[in-house]
Amino acid sequence: MFKDLKYKLNEFWSEFRKVKSGVVGLVFLIIFILMIIFEPLISPFPEAGKRWRDITYWEDNSKSAPPVWTNLFTSKKYARSETLTAPIENVTDNGRVKITEYEFDYDYKADRPPGDIIFRTEATGNLLFITEIIRPDGETVSITRNNYNFSKPSNVRIALSNDSKNGAYELATKFDKENTLSIPKQSIDGFNILFSKVQENMASTHDPLKGTYKIKIRILNPGSTGVLENPRVIVSGSVSGILGTDNSKRDIWSGIVAGVKWAMLIGLLTSALSVAIGVIYGVISAYLGGFADSLLQRIYEIFVSMPVLPVLIVLGAVFKPSIWIMIIIMCVFFWTGPVKTVRSIGLQIKEETYIEASKAIGASNTRIIFKHMIPLLIPYSFASMALSVPSAIVYEATISMLGLGDPSITSWGQILQDANSAGAVIQGLWWWVVPPGLMISLVGMTFAFIGFAMDKILLPKLKTR
């Protein structure tokens, strides 16, 4: 039995590899499977699938940042994201106040400043954090003063961009008081000034001051009882990741990778269930014949004439959005796909001699249908499944784009819906729209290529060679 199976698989593969489009589809399918298996390794945010809508998980990223590789196509380079660790540490303790000072070096080589600079640590006790930046030209800019009192170890997050306006405004006023005072403080971009050269109109004209910036954090701890662990500075660049970020700072590449498994689940499960139902339905209709066949065909015509998308939209609005309910609803309508073809093949099989012989020896209708007829249709079923996968994925994406999808999962349709709601196209955030749309097309193309190849091999009448 194993030798027969091996022989048939080898025979199928020798035919399959002659269809170039099928081989291309198979290569893409393997890539998608590998993306699912190695998701924790290739995604910079491994918990993206579970915490896609958890804003705290993404808060250290840049907002609406284009991909890193866009720097290759622009003359003015954007600052890239990086994490600064291993600072120079100085500790002074006179018994009454313990002063801990961390100094991080940031080498700024870009033409556009970073989106944010964030200091993070785990701390305990009554602590006062004083933050300042020492520029390459020697100017010191005070940024923040934050007081915390923690009774147990807690995370500390200090975002410098939020409080950089005052320090930047004072710096600009120091060198260009007349022009700076004419600009409202709240309208200036603090980081543009902090990372630009001293010059006239520096509040509005920004030439980058490249070099090493020292980010200094001084922590005052009365009583010397405070504890600080794992201090680090996160520089959120103006460009971020392989596919950039959205307006909620979520990494698009991580969302794309997390969406692969849902696309495969929706496509394969929906197509498998609907094709299985359609094949069984078509065989039963062909075998029974007569009035039963006519009745089953009228039921089929009712379902096949229904407009699927409007019905899905209505049912999606009525029921609580759930991926499982969506799959069930799609199966209710997609099972009609293979019925006519299966019925035609079933009418031919029904007239075979061995079917008549099975009836003569008293085999039940159930045995004849499931033991002798349906197994002959398995090759066609696989081809039909492959061809119906793209439809299921596109329908899910469409429903999700309309805001009726399951918000608890990270699907490509959900990413597109968020992009549509935020006006990504109007804002020019193409990296938020193109990748999920392209992935939907690639998956659809993958299964279409495989399905066409299997059709040519399993249905000889379709062979063109």
Side-chain angles (χ1 to χ4, degrees), residues 44-45 60-83 106 108-116 191 234-246 249-252 429-431:
F45 297 89
D60 291 344
N61 288 345
S62 300
K63 182 178 180 180
S64 303
V68 169
W69 49 264
T70 56
N71 263 344
L72 298 174
F73 305 99
T74 179
S75 58
K76 292 188 176 181
K77 307 304 181 184
Y78 291 80
R80 301 180 62 171
S81 298
E82 57 183 290
T83 300
Y106 172 50
Y108 177 62
K109 299 177 180 179
D111 300 298
R112 304 286 177 85
D116 204 348
F191 271 28
I234 301 167
V235 179
S236 297
S238 305
V239 290
S240 179
I242 297 175
L243 294 178
T245 60
D246 62 16
K249 301 184 178 183
R250 295 175 295 199
D251 183 68
I252 302 297
L429 307 180
W430 56 266
W431 56 88

Side-chain angles (χ1 to χ4, degrees), residues 401-460:
M401 274 197 67
L402 295 173
L404 301 173
D406 188 345
S408 65
I409 68 171
T410 308
S411 71
W412 300 329
Q414 289 288 342
I415 296 175
L416 285 172
Q417 195 273 331
D418 291 340
N420 182 56
S421 299
V425 175
I426 297 174
Q427 297 179 44
L429 307 180
W430 56 266
W431 56 88
W432 194 358
V433 179
V434 174
L438 184 61
M439 290 298 289
I440 292 172
S441 301
L442 282 176
V443 173
M445 181 189 73
T446 296
F447 284 97
F449 282 173
I450 293 174
F452 291 146
M454 293 178 72
D455 262 350
K456 288 183 178 181
I457 296 167
L458 302 174
L459 300 179

Side-chain angles (χ1 to χ4, degrees), residues 183-422:
I183 302 175
K185 182 187 297 186
Q186 295 306 315
S187 67
I188 68 170
D189 187 321
F191 271 28
N192 270 332
I193 295 175
L194 288 177
F195 288 90
S196 65
K197 296 178 180 177
V198 170
Q199 60 184 344
E200 291 186 8
N201 297 320
M202 68 177 299
S204 56
T205 303
H206 312 295
D207 291 333
L209 176 63
K210 301 179 182 181
T212 300
Y213 288 74
K214 296 185 180 298
I215 304 166
K216 186 175 292 187
I217 297 93
R218 188 179 299 108
I219 302 101
L220 280 65
N221 173 218
S224 304
T225 58
V227 177
L228 294 165
E229 295 181 354
N230 192 24
R232 60 203 181 276
V233 165
I234 301 167
V235 179
S236 297
S238 305
V239 290
S240 179
I242 297 175
L243 294 178
T245 60
D246 62 16
N247 66 351
S248 296
K249 301 184 178 183
R250 295 175 295 199
D251 183 68
I252 302 297
W253 168 250
S254 297
I256 293 296
V257 174
V260 174
K261 60 177 177 291
W262 291 110
M264 291 295 179
L265 174 66
I266 293 165
L268 292 175
L269 186 57
T270 301
S271 63
L273 292 175
S274 58
V275 169
I277 295 170
V279 168
I280 294 172
Y281 189 94
V283 170
I284 291 174
S285 178
Y287 180 78
L288 295 180
F291 174 76
D293 182 29
S294 298
L295 178 62
L296 291 174
Q297 290 306 300
R298 299 297 80 74
I299 295 173
Y300 159 81
E301 289 170 0
I302 291 172
F303 275 91
V304 81
S305 63
M306 288 185 181
V308 180
L309 186 57
V311 174
L312 283 174
I313 292 172
V314 171
L315 294 177
V318 171
F319 294 101
K320 181 181 178 181
S322 168
I323 189 64
W324 307 112
I325 291 177
M326 191 179 301
I327 289 173
I328 292 171
I329 293 173
M330 286 193 288
C331 288
V332 169
F333 293 98
F334 288 3
W335 64 269
T336 58
V339 169
K340 279 294 184 183
T341 304
V342 168
R343 179 176 176 274
S344 299
I345 299 173
L347 289 172
Q348 298 176 25
I349 298 174
K350 178 183 175 181
E351 303 302 324
E352 296 289 339
T353 305
Y354 65 89
I355 299 296
E356 296 296 332
S358 298
K359 290 180 180 178
I361 63 175
S364 65
N365 292 340
T366 302
R367 180 176 177 81
I368 293 172
I369 291 171
F370 287 94
K371 184 72 174 178
H372 299 298
M373 296 183 71
I374 288 180
L376 296 175
L377 289 160
I378 289 177
Y380 167 77
S381 301
F382 282 119
S384 183
M385 280 175 56
L387 290 171
S388 63
V389 167
S391 297
I393 295 173
V394 170
Y395 272 105
E396 184 280 330
T398 304
I399 296 299
S400 295
M401 274 197 67
L402 295 173
L404 301 173
D406 188 345
S408 65
I409 68 171
T410 308
S411 71
W412 300 329
Q414 289 288 342
I415 296 175
L416 285 172
Q417 195 273 331
D418 291 340
N420 182 56
S421 299

Side-chain angles (χ1 to χ4, degrees), residues 39 43 45-53 57-58 254-255 258 410:
E39 178 184 344
S43 174
F45 297 89
E47 296 184 52
K50 299 177 182 177
R51 303 180 64 181
W52 183 250
R53 300 196 180 277
Y57 187 62
W58 311 98
S254 297
T410 308

